[in-house]
Amino acid sequence: MKNILVTGGAGYVGSHVIVSLLEQGYGAVSVDNFYNSSPKVYQRLRELTGKDFIDIEADVCDEAKMKEVMAKHDLWAVIHCAGYKAVPESVSKPLEYYQNNLGTTFSLCNAMRQTGVTRFVFSSSATVYGEPQFLPYTEEHPTGNCTNPYGMSKVMNERILTDMAAANPDWGVVLLRYFNPIGAHPSGRIGDAPGGIPNNIMPYILKVANGLLPVLPIAGDDYDTPDGTGLRDYLHISDLAEGHVAALRYLEDFTGSEAVNLGTGQSVSVRELIRGIEKTSGKTLPTEIKSRRPGDIAEARADVSKAKRLFGWETKKTLEEMCADAWRWASQNPQGYEGE
Ligand code: UD1
């Protein structure tokens, strides 16, 4: 059995990646310091998969610890999901963002070199593309034109990992450029659990549907789009998680580096997303038109042909399933993992 290190394994993406790994016969070792997540997710993962895995509370920046973990658990690959991810906070705390989001990668790369681990899957983001020069974004679209330190930390990580793969011919690196993951595991037991006022649209919609926030701010209805609101390529978190396992399979006999988009290839507006949750929840959501967020674009949409060509991966779940699963999670866990 191949053992995979998942950094940020207690987080929204990492926890769903662990489900996919365990279901497909991999062993998982999670490292998380619970900076933005809860240890309670682990018990739920064991219950819903019926499988066990190793969880370690540690800071991924702790290089000696990462080396110890890699040596002890006979790891084959690293899936690096851990990171700070709040765009506005990154603008006010750039040093913290660069230090953490780059420091984790330095620590992992050093530990890999010392222990002979040669496979790396990185949680990147469509944010690396910046303002679109053309749509859908292909992986050849220029990157680096980001307006905030969070986005720049993804760009820099991509560059560091690409350079590491070039310098180490036995390394294989996949940079997964996520579009907008939403939804939750169909069991309703794990999902996205941001505290306070969410930055992203889906958790905000769900808090309004649960009555935890009074009104949903629509960040601009004057975009050049059919209904005036922003268009994004939302994909189900379980499809995204499967994309990581597909990347691992590809890495079995691949060396070098590849950037690969993970999305559906379709874009959906803010209003359509709201309607999706209204339909599945049976509630009408109060909304308020606000000004555009700085740095926001009218549309983001992935060219998904590379993922299909290299990995044989494509999304399976519909917008209805994304909304139904998101609402099942949110309505059953209105306080996230803290409600029990
Ligand atoms: C955002 C980040 C991006 C990050 C991604 C995943 C920005 C500018 N971009 O992408 O770097 O990789 O999250 O974490 O923050 N919207 C509202 N009201 C809200 C919030 C959002 O109408 O309260 C709209 C936005 O204008 C956009 C859509 O909802 O059209 C999606 O927003 P969001 O979920 O924040 O994702 P992105 O902006 O695509």
Side-chain angles (χ1 to χ4, degrees), residues 113-297:
R113 275 206 300 205
Q114 293 171 59
T115 57
V117 178
T118 58
R119 295 295 186 272
F120 200 109
V121 176
F122 178 61
S123 294
S124 191
S125 167
T127 200
V128 300
Y129 295 123
E131 180 78 31
Q133 295 180 12
F134 55 83
L135 285 174
Y137 290 114
T138 64
E139 289 81 358
E140 284 72 44
H141 186 286
T143 63
N145 184 21
C146 296
T147 53
N148 58 75
Y150 161 76
M152 283 311 300
S153 78
K154 294 293 181 193
V155 172
M156 292 176 188
N157 267 315
E158 285 201 354
R159 180 59 194 258
I160 292 160
L161 292 166
T162 303
D163 290 346
M164 285 302 291
N168 297 279
D170 56 336
W171 277 38
V173 169
V174 172
L175 312 168
L176 293 178
R177 294 179 176 158
Y178 306 165
F179 280 68
N180 292 61
I182 59 169
H185 188 272
S187 64
R189 296 295 290 158
I190 60 169
D192 195 5
I197 297 183
N199 289 301
N200 297 115
I201 186 75
M202 186 53 115
Y204 209 124
I205 292 175
L206 295 169
K207 284 201 177 185
V208 174
N210 264 326
L212 298 170
L213 290 169
V215 56
L216 177 73
I218 295 179
D221 71 345
D222 56 353
Y223 284 105
D224 184 15
T225 61
D227 68 18
T229 66
L231 294 167
R232 294 291 183 275
D233 185 336
Y234 298 98
L235 74 159
H236 195 292
I237 186 72
S238 298
D239 280 333
L240 182 93
E242 292 293 304
H244 294 69
V245 177
L248 287 181
R249 296 246 155 78
Y250 180 72
L251 283 172
E252 277 177 23
D253 46 26
F254 170 78
T255 54
S257 61
E258 292 286 356
V260 179
N261 291 337
L262 295 185
T264 65
Q266 308 288 324
S267 60
V268 166
S269 77
V270 174
R271 288 194 196 282
E272 287 174 293
L273 204 56
I274 296 169
R275 272 203 296 280
I277 292 296
E278 286 184 332
K279 200 168 159 213
T280 190
S281 69
K283 301 187 182 213
T284 302
L285 306 186
T287 61
E288 181 178 23
I289 307 301
K290 304 288 254 190
S291 51
R292 298 179 179 193
R293 295 186 309 188
D296 259 2
I297 55 178

